[in-house]
Amino acid sequence: MGILNLTPDSFSDGGRYQNLDAALDAARHMVEQGADIIDVGGESTRPGAAVVSPEQEARRVLPFVFAARDLGIPISIDTRRALVAEQAIEAGAVIVNDVSAGRDPAMFDVVRNGGAALVLMHMRGVPKTMQGNTQYEDLISEVVDHLGARAEAAVSAGIRKDRIVLDPGVGFGKSAHGNLELMCSLPSLVELGYPVLVGASRKSWLGKLFGQAPGQRMAGSVAAALYALRRGARILRVHDLGSTRRAVDVYWRLMSMESKS
Ligand code: HH2
């Protein structure tokens, strides 16, 4: 899953795409490099990010979603707002990536009515303040129990079980140590029976380990991606498409060789 942020303030690619053509070119490039999905967002959810109105968020992403129908791969809309999700589905998005796991009371209805797939991510609190308290009594149980309950709520609202993906929310209200713990414990989440998505790409805990700025975190991000696969993740949300895709291809080749030997 390639990341395309149409925001002025995203931590890694904010402000990069000044117009629709630039965004489409970037998306085409991601497809050439091996993306299977493009995840487009119009609101930064980095720690401390400012809130944008749903109308402003929709204005940022809808022209892209509509034009991206021609790319030939599924478009995912990264939003917490049912209004934005609804309009994006009408414009052609087939996945709703909701970092709040359906806190907007209308979200599940919108996803069900639009026949979209749904990513449910764990985040305690809201982006503006979530790094203020990263202490948990038991982080892994909290994440697994919360996502299990949100998935059940989505199914009760009429969303098909096979359309739901779970995401532990790496970097969302967790300490650097907590993120490492989450990555190691992915199998507990996989056990719930839904595909698992991991978004570790260029995040600050990778930088904290070795003191690197976002642009210098590619190697660490690729390592984290492969490790996530090894622990059962099936969708990787990444900035560095080409490098991650090549690493993943080699990884799967080796894994299939290993299983035959
Ligand atoms: N991370 C970000 C945004 N959306 N969605 C899922 N499912 N999982 C994630 O880990 C995730 C996400 C934050 O990263 P990014 O989009 O690169 O930055 P920003 O929020 O600043 O736009």
Side-chain angles (χ1 to χ4, degrees), residues 23-207:
L24 283 168
D25 280 349
R28 270 187 218 105
H29 189 54
M30 287 187 202
V31 175
E32 280 161 20
Q33 290 190 310
D36 295 319
I37 301 168
I38 303 279
D39 186 44
V40 60
E43 179 204 29
S44 173
T45 46
R46 71 180 160 74
V51 175
V52 294
S53 72
E55 292 74 21
Q56 191 180 5
E57 190 186 336
R59 270 199 303 278
R60 288 176 179 171
V61 291
L62 291 182
F64 173 85
V65 176
F66 194 77
R69 287 163 181 253
D70 296 339
L71 290 177
I73 62 167
I75 301 300
S76 159
I77 176 73
D78 185 348
T79 187
R80 301 185 278 162
R81 272 70 175 263
L83 180 84
V84 177
E86 186 170 33
Q87 294 179 357
I89 292 170
E90 273 168 29
V94 294
I95 303 170
V96 175
N97 172 23
D98 182 358
V99 299
S100 79
R103 270 185 224 167
D104 184 327
M107 185 60 99
F108 291 161
D109 288 346
V110 161
V111 171
R112 183 200 57 231
N113 294 341
L118 176 64
V119 179
L120 296 169
M121 197 198 79
H122 178 272
M123 168 175 66
R124 192 171 64 180
V126 291
K128 206 168 175 53
T129 52
M130 66 189 174
Q131 291 308 115
N133 175 10
T134 56
Q135 296 301 311
Y136 295 79
E137 209 166 285
D138 180 343
L139 172 63
I140 307 308
S141 304
E142 147 102 30
V143 169
V144 173
D145 293 350
H146 174 75
L147 289 177
R150 296 313 290 152
E152 268 178 36
V155 171
S156 302
I159 297 171
R160 274 175 27 203
K161 193 171 178 219
D162 64 3
R163 316 229 75 191
I164 296 172
V165 172
L166 303 183
D167 179 341
V170 171
F172 284 84
K174 284 105 187 173
S175 64
H177 181 265
N179 289 315
L180 288 168
E181 232 188 300
L182 268 187
M183 296 286 293
C184 296
S185 306
L186 286 176
S188 320
L189 191 55
V190 172
E191 266 176 29
L192 290 180
Y194 299 87
V196 168
L197 182 156
V198 169
S201 186
R202 296 190 192 170
K203 287 199 172 149
S204 68
W205 64 281
L206 288 167

Side-chain angles (χ1 to χ4, degrees), residues 1-2 29-38 73 201 218 221-223 225-226 229 234-253:
M1 175 185 266
H29 189 54
M30 287 187 202
V31 175
E32 280 161 20
Q33 290 190 310
D36 295 319
I37 301 168
I38 303 279
I73 62 167
S201 186
M218 186 179 77
S221 301
V222 171
L226 297 186
L229 287 183
R234 286 300 167 262
I235 304 175
L236 303 169
R237 185 178 180 278
V238 304
H239 297 90
D240 303 292
L241 254 297
S243 320
T244 313
R245 181 86 231 188
R246 280 190 295 278
V248 166
D249 289 346
V250 171
Y251 171 82
W252 282 128
R253 185 68 68 86

